[in-house]
Amino acid sequence: MPIEYDAVVVGSGPNGLAAAITLAREGWSVHVLEANATIGGAVRSANLTLPGFVHDIGSAIHPLGAGSPFFNSLPLTRFGLEWIQPEIALAHPLAGGRAASLYRNVDETAAELHDDSYGRLMRPLVYNWKNLADEVLQPLLHRPNHPLQLSRFGVTALCPASLLAKLFLRREESRALFAGMAAHSFLPLEALGSASFGLVLGMAGHAVGWPLPRGGSQAITEALAEYLRELGGTIELDRRIIDLKQLPRARVVLLDVTAWQFARMAGARLPSSYRSRLERFKHAPGVFKMDYALSAPIPWRAAACRRAGTVHVGGDLNEIAAGEREVAQGKHPECPFVLVAQQSLFDQTRAPNGKQTLWAYCHVPNGSTFDMSDRCERQIERFAPGFRDCIIARSCTAAADLEKTNANLVGGDINGGAANLVQLIARPILSATPYRTPLKGVYLCSSSTPPGGGVHGMCGYNAARAALRDHLSSRY
Ligand SMILES: Cc1cc2nc3c(=O)[nH]c(=O)nc-3n(C[C@H](O)[C@H](O)[C@H](O)COP(=O)(O)OP(=O)(O)OC[C@H]3O[C@@H](n4cnc5c(N)ncnc54)[C@H](O)[C@@H]3O)c2cc1C
């Protein structure tokens, strides 16, 4: 049978599109197959509540997108992508109407925190951001271009977040700010490696901001897809692949699917040792997702929260650590850590005049069906009395239901597998090229591969580069 395409990509999330673009830029014919009726995976926007309110179904805030070396090599602004930088990247309310704030400028942040220990922790990282981003956005097993900077970063990144915060940061405000960022790891803050998320998200916040795309996260997907089409790539919707046998004939196949799904798709064709490694790959906890239409901005007690794109709601370091510990133990915390984004404050295309949107989620055990909306609203109300009076409509999705909209969100895990220390190193296998699979010409390119979750396209880019290298050297 003749070859139909140089490359077939399964899945049109940011990693699938990144892989497709990387190959199409080399002149390859590329066809993307997407199970859903819309492209974008967890980077989509839709009208989930009332007419005129635009909600982000998945990702909302994009430090890794703005800092992605791959995205930054593409002409995405030509296809309508515009990053909006909120005045304050991140605010973290605390008792008594106080808040910790992350500004673009490290010195301003440290000065407001009255804590130069924060500045001392962040300044060298931000100064070396470009080099460190190049290093951390690829498989951990690689020959570093900046070994000294990477090893200095690695020593602190390996620490448990709570230990690092208590050792390095002096004030409650700085510790809470760091804890909130580290909690993006979905790990207990006592876990080794949990500090890495706090450090990466913090330095990205200072180096490139925590921006949101005008018009909704869908704008990222549309810009990627339009560029792919300009390069000659094609996308087919409503094509769910459950077995590799269904694929058109192609030189290479890139799979923007989770490790577990790949194990099922390939079945007995995979050597049993590799398959069992994929099957043993661990899920992260899930998320309970909430979207609101509001009659007014959230009445935060702390003024800084009214000027921030993202607000981390969960109190001080000890409270956040306790909530995340409970999630890791399979419990639903009474006082969850809630991640909030208030896009419409900075992007008027998101809501009718005078009205607002609110995007939020909290962590829950994987596969949870529990409704956390009351507990999350209570947490927000704690720091913004009167919040509930602003709600005109809400749409909530339990962790278990997220998977129905996107097969990659297994049990509500939004990152394609836990980011514990073992899986940061072996994602999904221990290799300098973990994208390559035992099947000739078949590559995994989803967030189950390095550098993992987040909208940056680097898993797709790295996997496609591996496919190109193998093809050129006729390894197969
Ligand atoms: C609620 C939520 C909030 C998030 N918030 C943020 C955030 O603010 N910032 C951030 O950077 N990241 C965020 N993320 C994470 C980020 O969106 C993901 O890490 C990222 O989208 C992963 O990209 P991907 O291409 O690997 O997979 P996905 O985006 O999940 O895309 C996978 C695609 O493959 C398709 N697919 C799967 N299986 C098949 C199949 N068998 N056949 C055909 N097609 C298939 C799916 O339908 C989907 O379109 C969030 C995610 C969620 C769900």
Side-chain angles (χ1 to χ4, degrees):
M1 280 232 295
I3 295 283
E4 289 176 66
Y5 302 99
D6 291 323
V8 164
V9 177
V10 178
S12 68
N15 285 315
L17 293 175
I21 288 171
T22 305
L23 297 174
R25 275 176 134 184
E26 297 295 320
W28 286 33
S29 60
V30 182
H31 189 57
V32 179
L33 301 169
E34 166 56 50
N36 280 335
T38 48
I39 54 170
V43 189
R44 285 183 294 150
S45 309
N47 176 257
L48 298 174
T49 55
L50 299 170
F53 290 85
V54 178
H55 301 282
D56 291 327
I57 290 177
S59 71
I61 302 293
H62 299 93
L64 299 177
S68 161
F70 174 66
F71 282 3
N72 287 327
S73 75
L74 308 179
L76 298 180
T77 47
R78 184 153 62 80
F79 296 99
L81 178 62
E82 183 192 342
W83 294 121
I84 298 176
Q85 296 282 2
E87 187 190 344
I88 296 177
L90 163 68
H92 190 123
L94 290 160
R98 291 169 302 141
S101 303
L102 189 143
Y103 295 88
R104 286 295 294 278
N105 189 303
V106 185
D107 294 336
E108 191 182 356
T109 307
E112 274 235 353
L113 291 168
H114 301 291
D115 190 354
D116 198 54
S117 65
Y118 178 88
R120 283 197 297 277
L121 179 66
M122 282 295 168
R123 256 179 231 114
L125 301 178
V126 177
Y127 184 76
N128 293 316
W129 156 256
K130 260 198 172 354
N131 295 345
L132 286 172
D134 280 346
E135 301 289 357
V136 299
L137 293 174
Q138 50 178 313
L140 226 65
L141 280 190
H142 70 275
R143 189 176 307 141
N145 289 323
H146 310 95
L148 258 178
Q149 289 167 21
L150 181 62
S151 47
R152 255 190 247 129
F153 168 78
V155 170
T156 33
L158 276 176
C159 284
S162 52
L163 181 70
L164 187 126
K166 285 174 188 164
L167 282 181
F168 278 80
L169 301 171
R170 279 192 305 105
R171 287 181 56 92
E172 182 197 348
E173 283 85 348
S174 336
R175 291 177 177 177
L177 189 68
F178 187 74
M181 295 191 287
H184 282 251
S185 64
F186 285 78
L187 297 171
L189 300 190
E190 298 78 22
L192 282 175
S194 53
S196 62
F197 282 74
L199 294 173
V200 170
L201 290 175
M203 68 173 163
H206 295 299
V208 295
W210 281 31
L212 48 113
R214 187 177 301 283
S217 296
Q218 186 81 39
I220 303 174
T221 293
E222 294 304 335
L224 290 169
E226 279 309 303
Y227 182 46
L228 174 64
R229 290 188 187 107
E230 184 181 84
L231 294 169
T234 46
I235 304 177
E236 189 179 337
L237 299 173
D238 297 310
R239 272 294 300 277
R240 183 176 301 280
I241 303 301
I242 51 172
D243 191 304
L244 294 179
K245 279 194 295 225
Q246 292 169 267
L247 294 174
R249 296 247 316 150
R251 268 181 240 290
V252 304
V253 171
L254 287 111
L255 300 170
D256 184 11
V257 307
T258 60
W260 312 284
Q261 220 187 329
F262 174 49
R264 288 196 301 274
M265 277 179 174
R269 273 160 287 187
L270 289 175
S272 59
S273 57
Y274 182 87
R275 201 171 68 235
S276 78
R277 168 65 199 140
L278 296 187
E279 286 164 353
R280 278 185 284 113
F281 198 60
K282 281 203 166 39
H283 299 117
V287 308
F288 180 84
K289 172 80 189 320
M290 293 153 285
D291 291 283
Y292 293 85
L294 304 178
S295 59
I298 302 179
W300 299 108
R301 209 178 260 145
C305 298
R306 293 182 234 128
R307 291 152 52 207
T310 304
V311 184
H312 282 163
V313 183
D316 64 19
L317 163 69
N318 291 334
E319 286 179 78
I320 296 172
E324 295 305 291
R325 220 169 19 244
E326 285 189 68
V327 173
Q329 291 163 354
K331 298 180 194 157
H332 294 86
E334 201 59 50
C335 298
F337 170 59
V338 189
L339 297 90
V340 170
Q342 23 190 32
Q343 298 94 320
S344 60
L345 287 183
F346 307 93
D347 177 4
Q348 279 152 17
T349 67
R350 306 288 187 106
N353 215 355
K355 306 281 189 293
Q356 304 292 333
T357 57
L358 165 66
W359 169 105
Y361 70 76
C362 72
H363 300 161
V364 289
N366 191 277
S368 159
T369 55
F370 190 78
D371 182 346
M372 290 289 285
S373 56
D374 182 55
R375 293 180 187 189
C376 290
E377 286 171 18
R378 257 193 282 132
Q379 281 286 69
I380 299 174
E381 187 81 27
R382 207 176 126 196
F383 298 100
F387 160 64
R388 278 187 154 140
D389 300 334
C390 303
I391 299 172
I392 41 183
R394 65 163 74 65
S395 157
C396 299
T397 314
D401 293 330
L402 282 172
E403 192 176 345
K404 294 180 190 156
T405 63
N406 175 349
N408 282 26
L409 306 178
V410 181
D413 173 356
I414 67 173
N415 287 327
N420 58 31
L421 200 54
V422 171
Q423 294 193 173
L424 279 177
I425 300 169
R427 194 164 186 89
I429 55 159
L430 184 65
S431 161
T433 316
Y435 313 97
R436 199 183 280 145
T437 77
L439 302 183
K440 183 178 169 178
V442 177
Y443 299 81
L444 200 55
C445 73
S446 72
S447 58
S448 292
T449 63
V455 180
H456 41 64
M458 293 303 294
C459 313
Y461 169 75
N462 291 338
R465 298 294 308 168
L468 284 166
R469 274 196 309 273
D470 287 348
H471 184 72
L472 280 179
S473 65
S474 298
R475 182 178 180 279
Y476 291 119

